Amino acid sequence: MKVIKFGGSSVASAEQLKKVLAIVQDDAKRRFVVVSAPGKRHSEDKKVTDLLIAYYEKAAKNQETTSLIEEIAERYGSIAQELGLDVSVCEAFASEIKSLQKDFDESDPYILDRFLATGENLNAQLIAAYFQHEGVKARYINPKELGILVTDEPHNARILEESYEKMYQWHNTEEILVIPGFFGYTKEGQLCTFSRGGSDITGSIVAAGVKAEIYENFTDVDGIFAATPKYIHEPALIEQLTYREMRELSYAGFTVFHDEALMPSFKAKIPVVIKNTNNPTCTGTMIKESYDRENPNRVVGVASDSGFCSITINKYLLNREVGFVRRVLQILEELNISFEHMPSGIDTVSLILRESQLTPELEKVLLKEIEERICPDELEVEHDISVIALVGEGMKFHTGITAESSAALARKNINLRMISQGADERSIIFAICGKQERLAVRSLYYTFFD
Amino acid sequence: MKVIKFGGSSVASAEQLKKVLAIVQDDAKRRFVVVSAPGKRHSEDKKVTDLLIAYYEKAAKNQETTSLIEEIAERYGSIAQELGLDVSVCEAFASEIKSLQKDFDESDPYILDRFLATGENLNAQLIAAYFQHEGVKARYINPKELGILVTDEPHNARILEESYEKMYQWHNTEEILVIPGFFGYTKEGQLCTFSRGGSDITGSIVAAGVKAEIYENFTDVDGIFAATPKYIHEPALIEQLTYREMRELSYAGFTVFHDEALMPSFKAKIPVVIKNTNNPTCTGTMIKESYDRENPNRVVGVASDSGFCSITINKYLLNREVGFVRRVLQILEELNISFEHMPSGIDTVSLILRESQLTPELEKVLLKEIEERICPDELEVEHDISVIALVGEGMKFHTGITAESSAALARKNINLRMISQGADERSIIFAICGKQERLAVRSLYYTFFD
């Protein structure tokens, strides 16, 4: 049995929902259908979730909301109409949307979550009605009925472990269950939404809960590419990769979805496939615990991300001082700054961190604290650094990846600010000057692909 | 004016002392002569310092010491005789050696230091007498008179800052001052020896104190080589390198001398030259603050050291956890373990540390603490790792050193456990399997030299 999830653009219009139905019907094992709120139908369109946020803000300010309510209801109404559904469905939706603002109490910590979740919740009801209308044995199921229990953290809920057992009771369902993504309920019955990755995380949780043989994640791209199309024209599609590779690629610049959302499936060792609603015959990208074949690719992908900075501390004999680095990290921790990498020379240690964490003031405080408490011989900051990750489980079976990749960068005169390859040999991380990011990704990509 | 220092083998025999005199006389600027205790004359010989330790141990146990006292006195006596010095000199020496054990009090924290320092102290007196005998205007000077004040830490003394001003008063000396290395005096007048690097450190301190134009360190090798002769047949002599390069090379396996000993000169920006007493016309190796020429060598040397281990910690999303690494380092610190490098992947961090710090028991405790307090997804230890350092200030001006060096290792099928290049770009550190150390050093050496 399979859990299948459709993202916002896959459920944005009647035309898209017809594709969804065809996909669901194409395989009788597809019993759990997790859906997002309607996304954009074209680049200028608005997502229903964004309309709901606007509606929430107006309601909070006690402003006129009628036109927004109509706009939201109309998104569902037009789909329903085009699909030939009974208008009564959408009348009920309109009144449900309208009732959100009744007794609006801004101090209620759950109120925003109720607004937000409405997009998914109504869409699941609409899609279930459409399926039934087409003679499919399907029904909407509320996350509470399904057993999705979450922590009491509005907009930032996490799944409670006991949910999995509850969900497993549904694993033999005869009906197709249409599930709204993005939210669950606290033990006290309050609706709370997940932090990020919305419906992705619901799909991943349900797949783990019902012990699906696969979690099919339908998006609007063919799968995961070996490099970003931003830099590479028609990059290679990755046919298969491991959870870890996925994670390492996501770390630096892969935005197909938020990799944390897939964790529940990963932990339950359920394979995940990324497919395209608009091109369902494409095999997509399969993400599994490990490779089926013995000799995986040397490199599966090249990812990059900008907006890092490095702080380099020079101090004579620093690695003889037990606790030296710990004291540096203590300062970071006190200022609530996390770091990504810490390459070290003999008397040198550099910290690579995300620049977004630092305001100019915080940077000053950080440097002052290091200066005063660590007394370095030299202290240097460099901004606008990009990090490139070359990822592949196969690296450990092939010597020379470091040589090939650094040679590729050297040929393009790209100077390495840092290179780090850890003992697990799944990735090589390069830090380079931000201006050279595109050039670096291209030179690495064309070294290992094509 | 120059400070010149002679190591143990340079002052081990009459024949060697004749070379020393010739070297000193060859340049009128050589006014401060720092000397070690007599070292080995041949590979089966004993160092006077080792004889003094044996003498101390016997005296502590109240055992018969006569033959040891005679053996030590005879080392000086035979030199004096061969040099044609007055026998009275050595009679005084014998009684001074004998008097060490008078009122032997093991609870006296300074007693071992007094035994140890005698080797240098008598040799300086002998050499001064020899110089005078040869008509050179020279005299022995005691470190106390010279102004070498040290911390009150027996066998582990450090120079006190105020010493430098005191020593500077001697900078215009007309006489050649012969100074015993290895010890100084506390403010209370107690003799204390330095921890390591014995006479090297005295020479370095005196050079800084008298503001010498150069510190000449005479040894029994032509200088510093670009790789160890243990692995490379007739390695290239390094003509010039910087303090930092010296330091980075010393870190991994260079044992010409203890690099910390040179710190006082380095801090005072006094050039240091390593020369060979047995081959004084060889220009040796010059160590300076920075290069005279604009474009330094890409690589000055390859150093290696064995006996490391790596501890690899895998934990999903670890770099999002502020304080994660700090908590790992806290554990190390509590167990008084220092680490050398910390390469990191996306969800991985490895610690490279010197194996000598870990007993099997301590390793177990360390792993247990990490397991319990960090809850890693995976925890792995690898023993018998060697670290190779490729060093050169010129690296930052040349792209491609990483590529060339890792390609050289790849050609020999050497798998990199870790590669780390920090932002200062003065060295690249490779961690490899210990068995491949020799092969790795050879392949890197022949890539950049020859």
Side-chain angles (χ1 to χ4, degrees), chain A residues 298-299 302 390 400-401 404-405 408 443-450:
Chain A
R298 301 185 304 164
V299 173
V302 186
L390 197 68
I401 307 289
E404 260 184 272
S405 52
S443 76
L444 290 173
Y445 178 83
Y446 290 111
T447 299
F448 294 99
F449 298 90
D450 215 50

Side-chain angles (χ1 to χ4, degrees), chain B residues 113-213:
Chain B
D113 295 43
R114 286 200 297 272
F115 272 78
L116 287 173
T118 302
E120 275 77 6
N121 203 30
L122 296 183
N123 215 22
Q125 291 173 41
L126 178 75
I127 290 165
Y130 167 52
F131 282 11
Q132 287 160 3
H133 179 262
E134 295 296 324
V136 177
K137 208 175 153 200
R139 76 162 174 106
Y140 159 85
I141 186 167
N142 183 277
K144 193 188 280 179
E145 188 185 357
L146 190 66
I148 301 184
L149 286 173
V150 299
T151 55
D152 193 353
E153 295 172 283
H155 352 308
N156 197 24
R158 283 165 298 145
I159 190 76
L160 290 174
E161 207 54 38
E162 60 200 88
S163 306
Y164 293 112
E165 221 183 298
K166 289 186 194 295
M167 282 186 274
Y168 187 66
Q169 295 167 2
W170 295 93
H171 79 282
N172 269 330
T173 177
E174 290 293 315
E175 293 171 308
I176 289 172
L177 299 177
V178 183
I179 307 155
F182 193 31
F183 67 97
Y185 289 85
T186 67
K187 284 189 172 178
E188 289 69 35
Q190 291 288 356
L191 185 157
C192 278
T193 58
F194 297 116
S195 61
R196 291 190 283 188
S199 312
D200 279 325
I201 197 163
T202 300
S204 173
I205 285 167
V206 173
V210 302
K211 298 194 166 66
E213 66 189 64

Side-chain angles (χ1 to χ4, degrees), chain B residues 25-321:
Chain B
Q25 284 187 309
D26 192 47
D27 185 342
K29 288 183 171 173
R30 290 171 173 150
R31 292 291 168 79
F32 297 85
V33 180
V34 177
V35 299
S36 301
K40 292 181 181 184
R41 291 160 296 189
H42 48 82
S43 59
E44 273 79 52
D45 200 13
K46 285 175 183 158
K47 293 179 181 180
V48 165
T49 305
D50 291 335
L51 294 172
L52 287 163
I53 292 171
Y55 171 32
Y56 166 83
E57 283 166 354
K58 278 198 188 296
K61 291 178 198 147
N62 221 347
Q63 291 173 343
E64 180 54 45
T65 55
T66 315
S67 67
L68 264 172
I69 295 171
E70 276 170 13
E71 194 178 348
I72 297 165
E74 176 52 22
R75 282 294 296 270
Y76 296 102
S78 64
I79 295 174
Q81 192 180 9
E82 214 176 311
L83 294 174
L85 305 184
D86 196 298
V87 286
S88 67
V89 175
C90 292
E91 278 162 13
F93 284 11
S95 81
E96 191 168 334
I97 296 165
K98 199 170 174 184
S99 72
L100 281 169
Q101 68 182 338
K102 223 169 58 183
D103 308 321
F104 190 98
D105 174 8
E106 222 177 343
S107 69
D108 175 355
Y110 307 100
I111 188 157
L112 174 60
D113 295 43
R114 286 200 297 272
F115 272 78
L116 287 173
T118 302
E120 275 77 6
N121 203 30
L122 296 183
N123 215 22
Q125 291 173 41
L126 178 75
I127 290 165
Y130 167 52
F131 282 11
Q132 287 160 3
H133 179 262
E134 295 296 324
V136 177
K137 208 175 153 200
R139 76 162 174 106
Y140 159 85
I141 186 167
N142 183 277
K144 193 188 280 179
E145 188 185 357
L146 190 66
I148 301 184
L149 286 173
V150 299
T151 55
D152 193 353
E153 295 172 283
H155 352 308
N156 197 24
R158 283 165 298 145
I159 190 76
L160 290 174
E161 207 54 38
E162 60 200 88
S163 306
Y164 293 112
E165 221 183 298
K166 289 186 194 295
M167 282 186 274
Y168 187 66
Q169 295 167 2
W170 295 93
H171 79 282
N172 269 330
T173 177
E174 290 293 315
E175 293 171 308
I176 289 172
L177 299 177
V178 183
I179 307 155
F182 193 31
F183 67 97
Y185 289 85
T186 67
K187 284 189 172 178
E188 289 69 35
Q190 291 288 356
L191 185 157
C192 278
T193 58
F194 297 116
S195 61
R196 291 190 283 188
S199 312
D200 279 325
I201 197 163
T202 300
S204 173
I205 285 167
V206 173
V210 302
K211 298 194 166 66
E213 66 189 64
I214 195 164
Y215 169 34
E216 299 178 308
N217 193 311
F218 276 77
T219 62
D220 52 7
V221 291
D222 279 345
I224 298 172
F225 296 103
T228 172
K230 196 172 71 175
Y231 295 148
I232 306 291
H233 178 65
E234 294 185 358
L237 183 70
I238 302 174
E239 283 177 24
Q240 189 181 342
L241 75 170
T242 64
Y243 299 150
R244 276 190 185 277
E245 287 174 337
M246 169 72 215
R247 162 82 187 116
E248 306 221 353
L249 286 172
S250 300
Y251 162 79
F254 272 70
T255 51
V256 174
F257 42 52
H258 205 267
D259 64 294
E260 280 174 68
L262 296 184
M263 268 314 282
S265 286
F266 290 175
K267 281 196 176 159
K269 299 194 195 267
I270 291 164
V272 177
V273 65
I274 312 297
K275 296 195 70 167
N276 191 348
T277 304
N278 306 314
N279 184 20
T281 55
C282 174
T283 50
T285 298
M286 178 69 80
I287 314 171
K288 295 172 81 167
E289 170 83 2
S290 60
Y291 280 98
D292 303 329
R293 60 182 183 282
E294 271 199 358
N295 216 343
N297 287 337
R298 300 185 305 164
V299 173
V300 297
V302 186
S304 64
D305 206 0
S306 58
F308 292 84
C309 68
S310 74
I311 297 176
T312 300
I313 302 169
N314 264 292
K315 189 172 186 184
Y316 180 67
L317 289 184
L318 70 77
N319 51 14
R320 299 259 175 92
E321 277 185 48

Side-chain angles (χ1 to χ4, degrees), chain A residues 244 247 251 260 263 312 316 320 326 333 340-341 344 346-348 378 403 407 416 419 421 423-424, chain B residues 244 247 251 260 263 312 316 319-320 326 333 341 344 346-348 378 403 406-407 416 419 421 423-424:
Chain A
R244 276 190 185 279
R247 163 80 187 118
Y251 162 78
E260 280 174 67
M263 269 312 284
T312 300
Y316 181 67
R320 299 259 176 91
R326 201 266 308 149
E333 196 174 345
E340 305 289 319
H341 299 287
S344 54
I346 310 299
D347 292 323
T348 302
E378 287 170 40
L416 304 180
I419 169 167
Q421 183 193 312
D424 64 341
Chain B
R244 276 190 185 277
R247 162 82 187 116
Y251 162 79
E260 280 174 68
M263 268 314 282
T312 300
Y316 180 67
N319 51 14
R320 299 259 175 92
R326 201 266 308 152
E333 195 174 346
H341 299 286
S344 55
I346 310 297
D347 293 322
T348 303
E378 287 171 39
S406 47
L416 303 181
I419 168 168
Q421 182 193 313
D424 65 342

Side-chain angles (χ1 to χ4, degrees), chain A residues 22-304:
Chain A
I23 290 166
V24 170
Q25 285 187 308
D26 192 48
D27 185 341
K29 288 182 171 174
R30 290 171 173 150
R31 292 291 169 79
F32 296 86
V33 180
V34 178
V35 300
S36 301
K40 292 182 182 185
R41 293 160 293 189
H42 48 83
S43 59
E44 272 78 52
D45 201 13
K46 285 175 183 160
K47 293 179 180 180
V48 165
T49 305
D50 290 334
L51 293 173
L52 286 163
I53 291 170
Y55 172 32
Y56 166 82
E57 284 167 354
K58 277 197 191 292
K61 291 179 197 146
N62 219 347
Q63 291 172 343
E64 181 53 46
T65 55
T66 316
S67 69
L68 264 170
I69 295 172
E70 276 171 15
E71 194 177 347
I72 297 165
E74 177 52 24
R75 284 293 299 268
Y76 296 102
S78 66
I79 295 174
Q81 193 180 10
E82 213 176 314
L83 293 174
L85 304 186
D86 195 299
V87 286
S88 67
V89 175
C90 292
E91 277 162 14
F93 284 12
S95 81
E96 191 169 335
I97 297 164
K98 199 171 177 184
S99 73
L100 280 168
Q101 67 182 339
K102 221 171 59 183
D103 308 319
F104 189 99
D105 173 7
E106 222 178 343
S107 69
D108 175 355
Y110 307 100
I111 188 157
L112 174 59
D113 295 43
R114 287 200 298 271
F115 272 77
L116 287 174
T118 301
E120 275 76 6
N121 203 32
L122 297 183
N123 215 23
Q125 291 173 43
L126 179 75
I127 290 165
Y130 168 53
F131 283 10
Q132 287 160 3
H133 180 262
E134 296 296 324
V136 177
K137 207 175 152 200
R139 76 163 174 105
Y140 159 86
I141 186 167
N142 183 277
K144 193 187 280 179
E145 188 185 357
L146 190 66
I148 301 184
L149 286 172
V150 299
T151 56
D152 193 353
E153 296 170 282
H155 352 307
N156 196 25
R158 282 165 299 146
I159 189 77
L160 290 174
E161 207 55 36
E162 61 199 88
S163 306
Y164 294 111
E165 220 183 300
K166 289 186 194 294
M167 282 185 275
Y168 188 67
Q169 295 167 2
W170 295 93
H171 80 282
N172 270 330
T173 176
E174 291 292 316
E175 293 170 307
I176 289 173
L177 298 177
V178 183
I179 307 155
F182 192 31
F183 67 98
Y185 289 84
T186 66
K187 285 188 172 177
E188 286 70 34
Q190 292 288 355
L191 184 158
C192 278
T193 57
F194 297 117
S195 61
R196 292 191 284 189
S199 312
D200 280 324
I201 197 161
T202 300
S204 173
I205 285 168
V206 173
V210 301
K211 297 194 166 67
E213 65 188 64
I214 194 164
Y215 169 33
E216 299 178 308
N217 193 310
F218 276 76
T219 61
D220 52 7
V221 292
D222 279 347
I224 298 173
F225 296 101
T228 173
K230 196 172 69 172
Y231 296 148
I232 306 292
H233 178 65
E234 293 184 0
L237 183 71
I238 303 174
E239 283 177 24
Q240 189 181 343
L241 75 170
T242 65
Y243 300 151
R244 276 190 185 279
E245 287 173 338
M246 170 71 213
R247 163 80 187 118
E248 306 221 353
L249 286 171
S250 300
Y251 162 78
F254 272 70
T255 50
V256 174
F257 42 52
H258 206 265
D259 63 293
E260 280 174 67
L262 296 182
M263 269 312 284
S265 286
F266 290 175
K267 281 196 174 158
K269 298 192 193 246
I270 290 164
V272 177
V273 66
I274 312 297
K275 296 195 70 167
N276 190 349
T277 304
N278 306 314
N279 185 19
T281 56
C282 173
T283 51
T285 299
M286 179 68 83
I287 314 171
K288 294 173 80 168
E289 169 84 2
S290 60
Y291 280 99
D292 304 328
R293 59 182 184 283
E294 271 199 357
N295 216 343
N297 287 337
R298 301 185 304 164
V299 173
V300 296
V302 186
S304 65

